Amino acid sequence: MTERFEPAHGTVLAEVTPERRRASIDLITAIREVMLAAAVTDLDVDEMRAAERALTEVARTLGKRTRTRVVRAPFGGPAAALAAGRGGSWPLFAHNPLGIPLEIHLDGDGAMARLTPNALHEGPPDLLHGGFGAGLMDCMLGVLMQARGKRSVTASLELRFLHGTPLDRPLELRSRIVEVSGRKAVAEGWIECEGRRTLEARGLFIEVRRDGA
């Protein structure tokens, strides 16, 4: 059985086998490990140069055959996870190493995910970059909108930075829908560290009709 993915505009729908999907996820996981190791390595210069040459060769190998876009998950995935009931979850950025991976658990009008940020996510010393915090909130709120089965776009995202969000400590990310009116929906989200909220967000989402309006 294969799973259909929806690529970006102008590309052809691809059938991805479970084996290929698993291989892609494992490859991206390994790349994230390399990114972190490269960012914090304290090896001697000669060892870093040797690693650079090895990675350049890996890049050449991977680049022998490429798509135009990263593999994208089906739009209906979050709604299916929600329909699965309590315990249903949806993985985000499984195929994109630049995205911060999340396993988002959906339940009714709410969602939850856990994350331990590392050195790659640093902004101020030892703290999560504010832009990453905003991106995480947009993801938490946006997937919740997607789980409703409505194609929506973020119209506005308001943030309140309450405290610095520390690195290397478990975080809990939550979101919930607070208002729906016609094509408009409002959702709130927040990041907690050991029970203390460090960031709050409020987003307005507009459903996009089939005619693009």
Side-chain angles (χ1 to χ4, degrees):
M1 179 178 176
T2 59
E3 180 171 343
R4 182 172 292 278
F5 287 82
E6 298 177 349
H9 295 299
T11 59
V12 179
L13 291 175
E15 294 287 345
V16 181
T17 65
E19 293 80 9
R20 188 175 184 86
R21 188 164 65 250
R22 184 70 255 171
S24 172
I25 292 171
D26 291 345
L27 175 62
I28 296 305
T29 299
I31 288 173
R32 287 196 177 102
E33 292 174 358
V34 169
M35 289 167 62
L36 178 58
V40 300
T41 188
D42 197 27
L43 288 175
D44 293 336
V45 171
D46 288 346
E47 292 175 293
M48 286 194 288
R49 290 299 186 189
E52 174 201 349
R53 290 192 293 271
L55 290 173
T56 298
E57 186 58 36
V58 169
R60 288 197 186 103
T61 298
L62 293 173
K64 288 179 180 177
R65 193 176 72 200
T66 63
R67 313 180 194 86
T68 57
R69 295 288 184 271
V70 173
V71 172
R72 295 171 59 89
F75 171 79
L82 178 60
R86 190 172 295 276
S89 64
W90 180 247
L92 202 61
F93 293 122
H95 301 277
N96 187 341
L98 280 184
I100 299 176
L102 293 174
E103 187 80 18
I104 300 180
H105 300 268
L106 296 146
D107 184 15
D109 287 337
M112 186 274 290
R114 291 187 173 91
L115 170 71
T116 300
N118 58 45
L120 290 177
H121 309 126
E122 187 176 39
D126 301 319
L127 298 176
L128 180 73
H129 192 290
F132 288 137
L136 289 168
M137 287 291 90
D138 193 34
C139 289
M140 290 298 298
L141 274 58
V143 167
L144 198 53
M145 294 294 121
Q146 197 173 343
R148 297 174 60 233
K150 307 289 186 181
R151 293 186 180 271
S152 303
V153 295
T154 307
S156 66
L157 182 65
E158 301 174 5
L159 302 170
R160 293 183 63 217
F161 294 90
L162 307 176
H163 304 280
T165 302
L167 302 178
D168 304 314
R169 287 161 65 182
L171 306 178
E172 191 168 280
L173 287 62
R174 291 191 175 271
S175 60
R176 64 187 178 193
I177 297 174
V178 296
E179 181 183 341
V180 177
S181 177
R183 294 170 56 202
K184 298 180 180 180
V186 176
E188 295 177 342
W190 59 93
I191 297 176
E192 288 185 7
C193 180
E194 298 176 353
R196 183 169 82 162
R197 290 192 184 186
T198 61
L199 172 60
E200 294 180 340
R202 183 179 178 89
L204 171 64
F205 294 83
I206 307 296
E207 182 183 350
V208 180
R209 293 195 290 245
R210 291 186 179 276
D211 60 6

